[in-house]
Amino acid sequence: MAVRKPAGASGDSAGLPGELPEDAETTADLPVGIGDRLEARFVDQAGTEQRTLWPDAARGVCLEECGPVRRFPVRHGKRMAPGWWWSATNGRLVHYASGVMRTQVMLLDWDPSIVAIACRPVELTWRERDGTWVRHAPHLMARLADGRGLLADCAGHGDISPRLACRAAVTEAAAAAVGWRYQVLRPPDPVLAANLRWLAGYRHPRYRGGELAVRAAEVFRRPRPLIEGVRELGDPVQVFPVVFHALWRGDLSARLEKPLHERVNVTAAPQGRRQR
């Protein structure tokens, strides 16, 4: 079983990564009709299916290290395109079901508050008042920098289905009961998504640039057009990938809600705002 280990070496007082801060909410009321035995199913790192109560799984299992409890099949005639996203956060591949979900994985990968991402690592099971058993595997799970977890489902444009709305209500309450969060992720602004999609092409550590990245932070110490700083640093063919990687990481910043172009103003981000 993928049981959490202490955050540091033996004797580290930081505790388990998933332990709740003292001020965290530890109780929450589940919707009327849901019993008190909310179960979790997951596949551990050895590939063995495990079942336990949800609070035990949330607090005692590294769910971000578990594989998907359900794969996303390819269905003929459906506009679905399952695939894999290489995560700069995890340093490994994360499964996704569609372009909508891939965009959300990209946003989580870019988010500085996220330290790990997993696809469908847990399935929740509960019994409703009428005796019907319901199963729901949230699309994504992320580990936050403060040790808490995030469960998320990905939605397209428009209203979510009544089926997902019912499951979302239970999942949100289940997450809150253990100090986690739950969100239905909506499509981002298309300009932001397009900019991040471009920068994501340079997210791999191979583009860090070493000394060139250090010089870039100095050249962009004050806001200036992207192309001016790039030309000052050297050959644009060599410099642009390093600058784009720094923009992805947050070492450099620009207004990504506006179209990214060569005259956009770029500046070095304050140390405290850098991603990783």
Side-chain angles (χ1 to χ4, degrees):
M1 183 181 294
V3 179
R4 285 205 186 97
K5 296 180 174 58
S10 178
D12 188 340
S13 61
L16 301 178
E19 284 185 345
L20 302 179
E22 292 182 359
D23 61 347
E25 293 290 336
T26 57
T27 61
D29 293 330
L30 291 174
V32 174
I34 304 302
D36 58 359
R37 285 184 58 83
L38 193 69
E39 294 187 348
R41 179 174 71 91
F42 60 94
V43 178
D44 65 20
Q45 291 170 283
T48 304
E49 182 178 296
Q50 304 282 354
R51 294 176 185 269
T52 187
L53 294 179
W54 162 241
D56 295 336
R59 296 185 177 118
V61 179
C62 281
L63 292 173
E64 63 269 34
E65 299 294 334
C66 297
V69 292
R70 290 190 229 158
R71 298 285 182 177
F72 296 105
V74 177
R75 294 188 174 92
H76 182 69
K78 298 288 186 179
R79 297 184 64 182
M80 304 287 284
W84 297 87
W85 173 271
W86 186 84
S87 167
T89 302
N90 289 10
R92 60 175 182 264
L93 296 172
V94 176
H95 196 29
Y96 62 81
S98 64
V100 168
M101 187 172 172
R102 180 185 61 215
T103 296
Q104 297 298 345
V105 172
M106 176 184 70
L107 288 169
L108 292 175
D109 203 17
W110 176 67
D111 190 332
S113 70
I114 302 296
V115 297
I117 309 166
C119 169
R120 274 188 169 173
V122 64
E123 178 184 76
L124 302 178
T125 303
W126 64 89
R127 187 168 59 184
E128 297 188 331
R129 174 177 290 175
D130 62 3
T132 302
W133 286 96
V134 179
R135 298 183 302 168
H136 181 58
H139 291 150
L140 296 168
M141 177 265 170
R143 180 69 61 188
L144 305 178
D146 64 5
R148 305 186 195 206
L150 167 69
L151 296 176
D153 283 302
C154 304
H157 294 282
D159 295 332
I160 62 175
S161 68
R163 180 176 181 272
L164 177 56
C166 292
R167 284 159 173 73
V170 176
T171 306
E172 182 177 19
V178 295
W180 286 29
R181 290 166 43 203
Y182 170 77
Q183 287 181 262
V184 175
L185 302 175
R186 301 287 188 167
D189 174 77
V191 174
L192 174 64
N195 286 337
L196 288 180
R197 201 170 293 121
W198 175 264
L199 296 178
Y202 301 90
R203 67 190 182 277
H204 196 279
R206 71 169 68 96
Y207 297 112
R208 278 185 179 163
E211 181 60 31
L212 183 55
V214 175
R215 290 175 52 213
E218 179 63 24
V219 165
F220 288 105
R221 185 175 69 259
R222 292 185 176 85
R224 64 186 303 184
L226 171 62
I227 190 62
E228 290 183 8
V230 167
R231 286 172 176 164
E232 182 175 328
L233 285 164
D235 182 357
V237 173
Q238 295 180 326
V239 175
F240 267 124
V242 175
V243 171
F244 289 148
H245 180 77
L247 284 167
W248 169 266
R249 280 173 48 89
D251 296 329
L252 299 178
S253 65
R255 294 188 62 186
L256 296 180
E257 72 276 10
K258 301 291 185 180
L260 194 60
H261 54 85
E262 66 176 15
R263 301 299 302 178
V264 69
N265 277 336
V266 173
T267 185
Q271 184 68 33
R273 295 182 62 187
R274 294 182 182 179
Q275 285 201 22
R276 300 178 182 92

